[in-house]
Amino acid sequence: MTVLTNHKKKDRRALIQDDETKALLSRSLQYLKSGYPIHYIGPSGAGKTSLALALAKKRNRPVMLIHGNHELNNKDLIGDFTGYTSKKVVDQYVRSVYKKDESVTETWRDGRLLEAVKNGYTLVYDEFTRSQPTTNNLFLSILEEGILPLYGSKLTEPFIRVHPAFSVIFTSNPAEYAGVYRTQDALLDRLITINVDYKDPEREALIVSEKANLVISEARAVTSMISELRSHCSNGYGPSLRASMMIATLAIESDIPIDGQNADFQRLCLDITAHTMSECLEEDQESVEKVIRDACENMRVVED
């Protein structure tokens, strides 16, 4: 195993921008500038969130990140009264006579969506289809009428107007993923939906080589093996680029050679990919492990 020791340690969360990625970000930025929200959809581990954050950064505006989940509600997005504050004033102008004034007011805290809308932030709504459709109905008014309704907030205003600099980027997994709700057509109709799929093994190898500081030939061997495992999955998913990154990173840190014949390397690959492959193949554990071991043994490190 060869590590690129002449590089500084890379941020593994950073997006590696090849020509195709740069072109996608450029188009997406133009769509946002024209007032259209972007929706990146694709399998887990395809890089949707990294793309969304990289796109948001290009707007040079503060970024607000919201993660979708089934418990997210209007109080989380709009805000809520969080308690009470009291104020007491005692006026003892004359020694034996005093006046006491006491007032109690509710304390309001803006939700993340309200804060973003009011201040013109770029909102990244990650995996928004994990939130219930009724919660996401707020975005219909934001995108169509340019207002955020203040449902159930007890505020005096029925809504606030959306800041002209506000923009939103959505990400989601396909509908067949567990824990995902079907999105209302009215919302999808207002988004520019762009499919983000797994990259080919060569592009994935460049990413692994860059982020894990691994020579390209060994990175290529890892991503080709993961790609082979993915080809066994009829649903088109299986292990993602994250699996390649885990294997490369842990092999380096544990001083395990990138060698498909090595028992420690095989064990590492089994630990990282076995669960995903079990879900994909729906076979017994012994059969799943055989598929993974065969893929390991077939991998080759070819020097450039």
Side-chain angles (χ1 to χ4, degrees):
M1 177 176 56
T2 306
V3 180
L4 301 180
T5 55
N6 59 333
H7 283 194
K8 293 181 180 179
K9 189 172 183 179
K10 299 296 189 298
D11 181 357
R12 292 169 188 159
R13 298 167 298 177
L15 181 68
I16 303 300
Q17 298 187 23
D18 54 22
D19 289 342
E20 185 174 333
T21 301
K22 289 178 181 177
L24 173 57
L25 287 173
S26 178
R27 299 198 313 273
S28 299
L29 183 60
Q30 184 57 51
Y31 301 151
L32 284 179
K33 287 180 178 178
S34 298
Y36 295 102
I38 298 298
H39 172 209
Y40 293 134
I41 183 172
S44 177
K48 304 180 298 297
T49 305
S50 296
L51 268 174
L53 292 172
L55 176 60
K57 186 177 179 181
K58 286 182 174 294
R59 294 196 69 236
N60 294 318
R61 298 286 303 176
V63 178
M64 178 71 74
L65 177 63
I66 296 178
H67 297 285
N69 70 83
H70 71 282
E71 295 183 348
L72 197 70
N73 56 37
N74 284 358
K75 290 183 178 180
D76 299 315
L77 296 176
I78 298 174
D80 193 19
F81 288 99
T82 58
Y84 296 88
T85 57
S86 62
K87 181 180 180 181
K88 183 187 294 184
V89 178
V90 177
D91 183 359
Q92 196 171 356
Y93 183 71
V94 181
R95 177 182 296 181
S96 59
V97 179
Y98 69 92
K99 178 183 178 183
K100 181 173 71 173
D101 289 329
E102 186 172 1
S103 61
V104 178
T105 56
E106 289 185 287
T107 303
W108 171 266
R109 183 178 63 187
D110 285 350
R112 286 172 289 174
L113 177 59
L114 177 57
E115 182 181 349
V117 163
K118 283 171 56 176
N119 297 293
Y121 295 169
T122 303
L123 175 67
V124 175
Y125 193 177
D126 193 37
E127 297 193 9
F128 82 104
T129 52
R130 294 191 180 277
S131 301
Q132 299 187 53
T134 52
T135 299
N136 290 335
N137 279 339
L138 286 171
F139 288 89
L140 293 173
S141 297
I142 291 173
L143 301 179
E144 185 65 22
E145 287 95 29
I147 62 171
L148 172 61
L150 303 177
Y151 297 134
S153 65
K154 297 191 293 183
L155 296 177
T156 55
E157 306 90 352
F159 62 83
I160 71 161
R161 298 212 171 268
V162 176
H163 192 288
F166 173 78
S167 193
V168 58
I169 306 164
F170 298 85
T171 77
S172 73
N173 290 325
E176 59 266 27
Y177 270 57
V180 170
Y181 294 97
R182 187 182 184 280
T183 306
Q184 53 271 60
D185 292 337
L187 179 54
L188 285 176
D189 192 48
R190 290 165 171 79
L191 314 180
I192 295 181
T193 297
I194 300 174
N195 187 66
V196 178
D197 207 343
Y198 295 127
K199 296 175 174 60
D200 61 73
E202 183 62 26
R203 291 175 64 206
E204 289 190 349
L206 292 172
I207 294 172
V208 171
S209 176
E210 177 72 13
K211 288 191 174 185
N213 284 354
L214 192 65
V215 294
I216 187 63
S217 57
E218 292 180 339
R220 188 180 292 124
V222 173
T223 58
S224 295
M225 180 198 63
I226 291 299
S227 179
E228 180 183 340
L229 290 177
R230 203 181 294 152
S231 69
H232 289 273
C233 298
S234 58
N235 58 13
Y237 303 136
S240 70
L241 175 60
R242 291 194 187 108
S244 297
M245 279 298 305
M246 289 178 187
I247 291 170
T249 301
L250 289 170
I252 291 172
E253 293 180 354
S254 304
D255 200 23
I256 297 173
I258 306 293
D259 179 358
Q261 307 297 319
N262 181 277
D264 290 336
F265 183 78
Q266 287 188 12
R267 184 69 264 170
L268 177 62
C269 294
L270 284 166
D271 288 341
I272 291 173
T273 65
H275 176 73
T276 304
M277 293 302 296
S278 295
E279 295 287 315
C280 169
L281 297 177
E282 298 182 351
E283 295 182 3
D284 62 86
Q285 191 65 23
E286 185 178 345
S287 298
V288 170
E289 290 193 5
K290 184 179 186 308
V291 169
I292 298 170
R293 290 186 189 279
D294 287 347
C296 282
E297 291 173 357
N298 290 334
M299 64 177 283
R300 296 288 182 271
V301 177
V302 180
E303 299 293 340
D304 290 334

